[in-house]
């Protein structure tokens, strides 16, 4: 561990020094001291200014004028309507086609965060921050991290959503269904400071402080720190985070260089996963048992035939797995460092070069007090941990130039990642009421697995955008080549996990689009995209025998998307209508591909395809001055196209895709006048199936949030002072938020699968924001 700390320190110092001594390239460093100098992706970093100039009506934009595909965005103004510290993903939940869920009011608790888009779940979407890839932001550390750990929401300027596969140059190898790109705010041009303080329900307290240097001969910088803590809204424990951001920019006549650095530390006590049956029997507030050690011991002893289960579980139906209905405690610990340097260089009036690299390290631990392994004869519970370690580094580049009516772009993305995942068991001596890293302070008495993964990604792309008919007609086309190699080594003997390597690649993944401006206010567009998703670590989650048997027959998941749309904008209205068709093929699933009368082990298989068709409608209307009203309606019909074998035929053909609502409707109204802003938003989320054959579902629901803010302006030595009040879940609706937290099953008519998260009840937060 000391060597890792020294390495991280050296990397950070090298990055800071690069601002004054020029860009540091990997070859200039000791190749043995991997990873190379941390620097950030530049391919999209220079786009911040262009994004800010895009057509928008104050905040939410549903019109991306001239785009050949559906692109929408929210800005910092939309984030400011939410309680400070809220995930930016929650801000885009108002956009058509987007379904974001979480068990906490901020969308910050990672085990529960989930976003779906046009029939695709989070694992098949792509995410970037200033062009730096965030992977698919999965809870288990793979090759990325959650955006809330990558940047404080206060420092985000824009979030841009692109359906389909997103732009060709997006640094993602999982974006079958779309990309979400986050852009950090640039430093202020005037020196100053800002403080935001939040207090609220469940002992919530959050402090955010930011210092800006202002512009000094082209150089500007800010550094920020935020500390947040809150008790869980049910059960025992709290959730705490500390985060530091630094961004510096140096600009000159022909270019700019930007450094970004993030340090994040987070501890989270878990919420208990529910099932339909457990919620009905035990209520919405059912949670982990901590600090009731006696009940946890009684359950573990009963599982081992030593006594009866406690009476608190007596309302569960006969046959229910009582030992799994709750546990003593669970939690997660995450520590991240993310650094990046990007540069934009204008080589001529018509040629721009973008370059950048980045580095990210993560150390983390997921904890579970398991009743299935004993610590001793008198302590029937042990601490099971999943321990993570990740080091990744990469670079991007693009050359953009114009020839006549053609805007041509060629570029690349390359990344190397090393990831460790371990399953360890530690002794417990009795009750505990803390959350700390067991792996750093203790020796495990047993190890379930220890996997070392390497991921190598290489991507190159080229595109041409042609402007015709005095810019009324835009045509673009291009293609990318993508290759991803995943390899695994088992560092301890494990019968459950495989070692080996597997590669997903395609040398020709095309995109094409057209946009036609009917007049100054109206346009139509159409686009086509094809994309491929890397295997990730999924193939190694099976036994060695199964991996060897399946490797040669597997195909990577692919998607093809067609979009057709119409946009209109005027002085009082902005609207878009989009229709799409997606064919998702080679869906991967672990199954036992035998008939009901045969026996065979589980194996990863391609189990068919999914067809998604849908329509998104969005309207922003300003009927009178100071009033803005956003409405969006989404219809998605995503269905499995094939049955598959899993110890018998699973009849999924024609069934709806799990976790995806068919209907969603959002309405958001805001009124601003003389420093006063009030917002009210409501969203309808349709029913979601939670089994592959659709014999179990969670019901539809409406959810409302409200907020008010008053800007007092300058006051004494304070340049600007504002007060805010936010109420989430205004009418205290009880509902199921996240589905599939523990995966989905083929059939569950009794609702016993514990894979659901309850949404937070009504919460109230007050904040004060001051600028100096």
């Amino acid at each position: 561990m000391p060597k890792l700390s020294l390495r991280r320190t050296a990397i950070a110092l090298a990055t800071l020094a690069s601002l004054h001594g020029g860009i540091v390239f990997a070859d200039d460093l000791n190749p043995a001291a991997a990873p190379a100098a941390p620097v950030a992706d530049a391919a999209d970093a220079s786009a911040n200014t262009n994004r800010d100039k895009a057509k928008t009506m104050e905040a939410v934009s549903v019109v991306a004028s001239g785009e050949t595909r559906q692109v929408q965005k929210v800005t910092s103004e939309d984030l400011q309507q939410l309680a400070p510290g809220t995930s930016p993903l929650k801000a885009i939940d108002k956009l058509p086609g987007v379904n974001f869920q979480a068990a906490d009011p901020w969308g910050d608790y990672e085990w529960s965060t989930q976003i779906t888009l046009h029939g695709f779940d989070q694992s098949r979407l792509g995410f970037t921050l200033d062009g730096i890839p965030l992977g698919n932001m999965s809870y288990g550390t793979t090759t990325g991290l959650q955006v809330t750990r990558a940047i404080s929401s206060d420092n985000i300027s824009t979030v841009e959503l692109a359906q389909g596969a997103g732009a060709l140059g997006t640094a993602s190898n999982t974006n079958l269904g779309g990309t979400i790109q986050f852009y950090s705010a640039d430093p202020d041009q005037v020196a100053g400071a800002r403080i935001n303080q939040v207090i609220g329900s469940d002992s919530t307290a959050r402090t955010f402080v930011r210092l800006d240097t202002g512009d000094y001969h082209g150089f500007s910088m800010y550094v920020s720190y935020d500390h947040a803590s809150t008790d869980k809204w049910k059960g025992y424990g709290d959730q705490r985070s500390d985060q530091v951001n630094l961004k510096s920019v140096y600009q000159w006549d022909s270019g700019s260089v930007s450094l970004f650095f993030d340090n994040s530390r987070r501890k989270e006590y878990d919420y208990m996963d529910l099932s339909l049956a457990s919620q009905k029997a035990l209520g919405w507030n059912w949670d982990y048992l901590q600090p009731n050690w006696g009940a946890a011991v009684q359950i573990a002893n009963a599982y081992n035939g030593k006594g009866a289960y406690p009476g608190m579980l007596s309302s569960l139906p006969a046959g229910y797995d009582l030992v799994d209905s709750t546990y003593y405690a669970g939690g997660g610990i995450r520590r991240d460092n993310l650094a990046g340097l990007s540069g934009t260089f204008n080589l001529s009036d018509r040629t721009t070069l973008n370059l950048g690299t980045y580095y990210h390290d993560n150390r983390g631990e997921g904890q579970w007090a398991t009743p299935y392994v004993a610590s001793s004869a008198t302590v029937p519970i042990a601490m099971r941990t999943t321990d993570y370690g990740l080091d990744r580094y990469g670079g991007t580049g693009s050359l953009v130039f114009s020839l006549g009516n053609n805007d041509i772009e060629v570029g690349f993305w390359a990344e190397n990642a090393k990831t460790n995942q371990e399953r360890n068991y530690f002794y417990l001596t009795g009750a505990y009421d803390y959350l700390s890293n067991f792996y750093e302070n203790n020796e495990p008495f047993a190890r379930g697995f220890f996997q070392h993964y390497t991921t190598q990604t290489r991507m190159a792309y080229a595109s041409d955008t042609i402007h015709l008919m005095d810019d009324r007609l835009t045509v673009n086309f291009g293609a990318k080549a993508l290759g991803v190699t995943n390899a695994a080594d088992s560092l301890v003997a494990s019968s459950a996990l495989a070692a080996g390597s597997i590669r997903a690649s395609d040398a020709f993944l095309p995109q094409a689009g057209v946009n036609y401006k009917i007049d100054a206010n109206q346009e139509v567009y159409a686009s086509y995209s094809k994309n491929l998703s890397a295997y990730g670590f999924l193939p190694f989650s099976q036994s060695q025998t199964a991996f060897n048997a399946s490797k040669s027959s597997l195909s990577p998941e692919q998607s093809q998307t067609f979009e057709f749309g119409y946009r209109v904008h005027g002085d009082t209205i902005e609207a878009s209508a989009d229709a799409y068709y997606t064919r998702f093929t080679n869906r991967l699933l672990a199954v036992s591909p035998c008939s009901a009368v045969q026996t065979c082990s589980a194996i990863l298989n391609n189990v068919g395809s999914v067809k998604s068709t849908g329509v998104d409608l969005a309207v922003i209307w300003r009927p009178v001055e100071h009033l803005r009203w956003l409405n969006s309606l989404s219809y998605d019909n995503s269905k499995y196209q094939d049955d598959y074998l899993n110890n018998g035929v699973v009849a999924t053909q024609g069934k709806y895709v799990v976790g995806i609502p068919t209907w969603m409707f959002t309405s958001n109204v805001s009124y601003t006048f003389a420093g006063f802003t009030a917002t009210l938003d409501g969203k309808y989320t349709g029913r979601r199936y939670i089994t592959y054959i659709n014999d179990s579902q969670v019901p539809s629901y409406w959810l409302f949030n409200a907020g008010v803010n008053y800007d007092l302006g300058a006051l004494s030595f304070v340049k600007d002072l504002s007060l805010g009040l936010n109420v989430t879940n205004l009418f205290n609706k009880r509902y199921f938020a996240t589905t599939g937290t523990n995966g989905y099953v083929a059939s569950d008519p009794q609702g016993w699968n514990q894979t659901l998260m309850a949404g937070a009840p009504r919460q109230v937060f007050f904040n004060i924001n001051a600028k100096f």
Side-chain angles (χ1 to χ4, degrees):
M1 287 309 228
K3 291 182 179 180
L4 290 172
S5 299
L6 288 172
R7 181 186 301 171
R8 288 197 293 267
T9 302
I11 289 167
L13 291 173
T15 303
L16 291 169
S18 70
L19 280 178
H20 304 284
I23 298 176
V24 178
F25 292 96
D27 293 342
D28 297 329
L29 301 177
N30 179 3
V39 247
D41 179 308
D44 285 306
S46 63
N48 281 358
T49 303
N50 294 331
R51 296 295 193 285
D52 293 340
K53 292 179 180 177
K55 173 65 181 176
T56 179
M57 284 183 120
E58 296 180 346
V60 174
S61 174
V62 298
V63 170
S65 184
E67 292 283 357
T68 60
R69 61 187 185 277
Q70 186 177 8
V71 178
Q72 295 165 331
K73 74 173 186 177
V74 298
T75 70
S76 58
E77 294 181 21
D78 301 285
L79 290 170
Q80 289 167 11
Q81 293 180 7
L82 306 174
T86 297
S87 167
L89 291 173
K90 194 167 182 178
I92 67 171
D93 188 44
K94 67 182 73 174
L95 296 178
V98 179
N99 181 34
F100 177 71
Q101 300 287 350
D104 67 316
W106 306 277
D108 205 32
Y109 169 50
E110 288 192 25
W111 177 253
S112 72
T113 56
Q114 177 187 82
I115 188 167
T116 63
L117 179 64
H118 285 186
F120 287 95
D121 62 33
Q122 183 172 318
S123 68
R124 297 175 174 103
L125 303 178
F127 305 87
T128 65
L129 169 64
D130 291 345
I132 300 172
L134 303 179
N136 60 19
M137 303 200 307
S138 61
Y139 176 80
T141 300
T142 52
T143 58
L145 75 163
Q146 266 281 345
V147 65
T148 50
R149 284 189 276 129
I151 185 172
S152 295
S153 60
D154 311 70
N155 294 326
I156 291 179
S157 67
T158 309
V159 185
E160 186 174 283
L161 168 68
Q163 281 87 347
L168 270 175
T170 302
S172 172
N173 56 32
T174 58
N175 55 323
L176 293 178
T179 60
I180 298 172
Q181 297 175 285
F182 307 95
Y183 295 94
S184 64
D186 284 339
D188 292 343
Q189 295 301 295
V190 177
R194 66 184 71 175
I195 299 175
N196 180 275
Q197 180 66 50
V198 181
I199 57 173
S201 300
D202 296 309
S203 302
T204 294
R206 179 182 185 266
T207 303
F208 173 83
V209 180
R210 172 170 147 173
L211 304 176
D212 280 83
T213 64
D215 180 73
Y216 183 74
H217 301 300
F219 176 82
S220 58
M221 183 180 76
Y222 66 74
V223 60
S224 70
Y225 168 74
D226 80 64
H227 169 77
S229 66
T230 180
D231 290 342
K232 290 168 53 182
W233 61 263
K234 65 175 180 177
Y236 176 87
D238 58 8
Q239 296 175 342
R240 295 175 177 268
S241 65
D242 292 276
Q243 191 166 29
V244 174
N245 287 167
L246 179 149
K247 185 173 183 179
S248 59
V249 177
Y250 179 66
Q251 302 181 72
W252 64 95
D253 289 342
S254 59
S256 65
V257 175
S258 176
L259 169 74
F260 179 82
F261 175 76
D262 168 75
N263 174 272
S264 172
R265 300 290 185 266
R266 178 169 296 179
K267 291 184 178 182
E268 300 175 330
Y269 282 83
D270 284 336
Y271 289 97
M272 186 68 201
D273 300 290
L274 302 177
S275 67
L276 292 173
S278 69
Q279 184 282 316
K280 183 178 180 180
L282 302 170
W284 292 105
N285 289 341
W286 184 249
D287 201 41
Y288 284 90
L289 295 169
Q290 195 177 35
N292 190 347
W293 177 256
V297 169
Q298 187 177 354
I299 291 173
N301 283 332
Y303 168 74
N304 291 297
K306 301 177 182 178
Y309 285 95
M312 66 174 68
L313 306 181
S314 60
S315 59
L316 288 166
Y320 198 91
D321 191 353
L322 297 181
V323 72
D324 268 337
S325 61
T326 187
Y327 315 109
Y328 180 67
I333 299 172
R334 294 287 188 273
R335 297 177 301 172
D336 292 272
N337 291 289
L338 178 67
L341 182 69
S342 61
T344 298
F345 310 95
N346 300 317
L347 306 182
S348 71
D349 290 342
R350 299 172 67 85
T351 305
T352 300
L353 175 67
N354 300 303
L355 290 173
T357 68
Y358 57 89
Y359 170 72
H360 170 220
D361 74 68
N362 168 273
R363 300 297 181 266
E365 183 171 277
Q367 300 182 355
W368 175 43
T370 173
Y372 295 108
V373 178
S375 291
S376 66
T378 58
V379 181
I381 301 171
M383 173 57 69
R384 194 197 80 173
T385 67
T386 306
D387 296 283
Y388 304 102
L390 166 65
D391 291 276
R392 65 183 178 114
Y393 58 96
T396 62
S398 67
L399 182 67
V400 183
F401 57 96
S402 298
L403 293 175
N405 293 333
N406 297 267
D407 293 333
I408 300 171
E409 180 175 351
V410 293
F412 72 91
W413 169 43
E415 179 179 282
N416 289 339
K418 297 179 180 179
T419 309
N420 289 336
Q421 290 189 6
E422 304 177 45
R423 174 63 47 77
N424 296 309
Y425 294 86
F426 297 89
Y427 290 121
L428 293 174
T429 58
Y432 66 93
D433 58 359
Y434 54 85
L435 183 59
S436 62
N437 194 306
F438 274 73
Y439 190 67
E440 289 186 349
N441 302 309
N442 302 276
E443 286 294 325
F445 69 82
R447 177 167 281 154
F449 60 78
F450 188 172
Q451 294 285 102
H452 175 70
Y453 300 101
T454 60
T455 303
Q456 184 183 82
T457 300
R458 299 292 184 265
M459 185 184 83
Y461 68 94
S463 67
D464 185 10
T465 301
I466 307 174
H467 304 278
L468 304 169
M469 300 173 61
D470 294 327
D471 275 344
R472 290 185 64 185
L473 178 64
T474 301
V475 179
N476 64 23
F477 53 89
K480 68 179 177 182
L482 175 66
V484 184
T485 301
N486 296 103
D489 291 317
S490 295
L491 302 185
V492 299
S494 171
S495 61
L497 300 179
S501 67
I502 192 167
R503 180 173 173 81
S505 64
D506 195 319
F508 184 67
L509 295 168
Q511 288 189 19
V514 60
N515 178 287
Y516 177 71
K517 295 181 180 178
I518 301 171
D519 55 34
N521 298 318
Q522 301 179 85
E523 59 189 69
V524 292
Y525 64 91
S527 68
Y528 165 79
S529 61
K530 180 182 179 182
N531 210 14
L532 168 146
S533 180
Y535 289 109
F537 301 165
L538 184 60
F540 310 111
S541 62
Q542 54 189 334
S543 69
Q544 190 67 55
T545 301
F547 174 79
N548 294 340
S550 67
K551 178 181 175 181
S552 61
S553 61
L554 287 180
S555 297
E557 295 182 337
Q558 294 191 6
S559 68
Q560 296 185 72
T561 300
F562 298 85
E563 283 187 309
F564 310 90
Y566 167 81
R567 305 183 183 109
V568 60
H569 62 85
D571 293 334
T572 62
I573 195 167
E574 178 180 342
S576 70
D578 180 83
Y580 59 89
Y581 168 82
T582 298
R583 175 87 176 193
F584 165 34
T585 57
N586 301 327
R587 185 169 70 95
L588 291 169
L589 192 66
V591 297
S592 296
C594 302
S595 66
V597 296
Q598 296 175 303
T599 300
C600 60
S601 60
I603 189 172
L604 188 67
N605 251 1
N606 294 114
V607 294
S609 62
V610 174
K611 285 184 180 179
S612 298
T613 56
V615 177
D616 291 333
L617 304 173
V619 178
I620 297 177
W621 184 34
R622 297 176 62 186
V624 296
E625 191 177 4
H626 310 302
L627 181 67
R628 187 188 69 181
W629 189 11
L630 165 68
N631 288 280
S632 68
L633 176 67
S634 301
Y635 169 76
D636 179 87
N637 186 320
S638 295
K639 291 183 177 180
Y640 302 113
Q641 300 300 299
D642 307 275
D643 298 335
Y644 65 89
L645 284 174
N646 189 13
N647 289 327
V649 175
V650 180
T652 53
Q653 184 177 12
K655 304 298 183 182
Y656 289 95
V657 173
V658 292
I660 307 295
T662 301
W663 289 99
M664 291 186 292
F665 175 75
T666 300
S667 187
N668 175 278
V669 61
S670 62
Y671 181 81
T672 302
F673 180 74
F676 174 80
T677 301
T679 61
L680 175 66
D681 68 77
K683 181 165 184 175
Y684 170 81
T685 302
R687 68 181 181 184
R688 291 162 288 162
Y689 290 102
I690 56 175
T691 59
Y692 293 124
I693 67 168
N694 294 175
D695 61 359
S696 191
Q697 62 183 276
V698 295
S700 60
Y701 68 93
W702 278 93
L703 195 68
F704 292 86
N705 304 289
V708 293
N709 188 85
Y710 185 66
D711 191 338
L712 287 76
L715 189 66
S716 183
F717 62 91
V718 180
K719 293 181 181 179
D720 187 71
L721 182 68
S722 62
L723 307 175
L725 181 70
N726 292 90
V727 183
T728 60
N729 194 355
L730 183 62
F731 299 113
N732 205 29
K733 174 69 176 178
R734 307 313 299 262
Y735 67 101
F736 288 110
T738 317
T739 64
T741 51
N742 281 310
Y744 297 102
V745 295
S747 176
D748 183 27
Q750 296 175 299
W752 288 6
N753 187 24
Q754 292 186 188
T755 194
L756 308 174
M757 280 277 167
R762 179 169 51 236
Q763 307 268 274
V764 180
F765 306 102
F766 171 77
N767 75 88
I768 180 170
N769 189 68
K771 295 182 180 180
F772 304 89

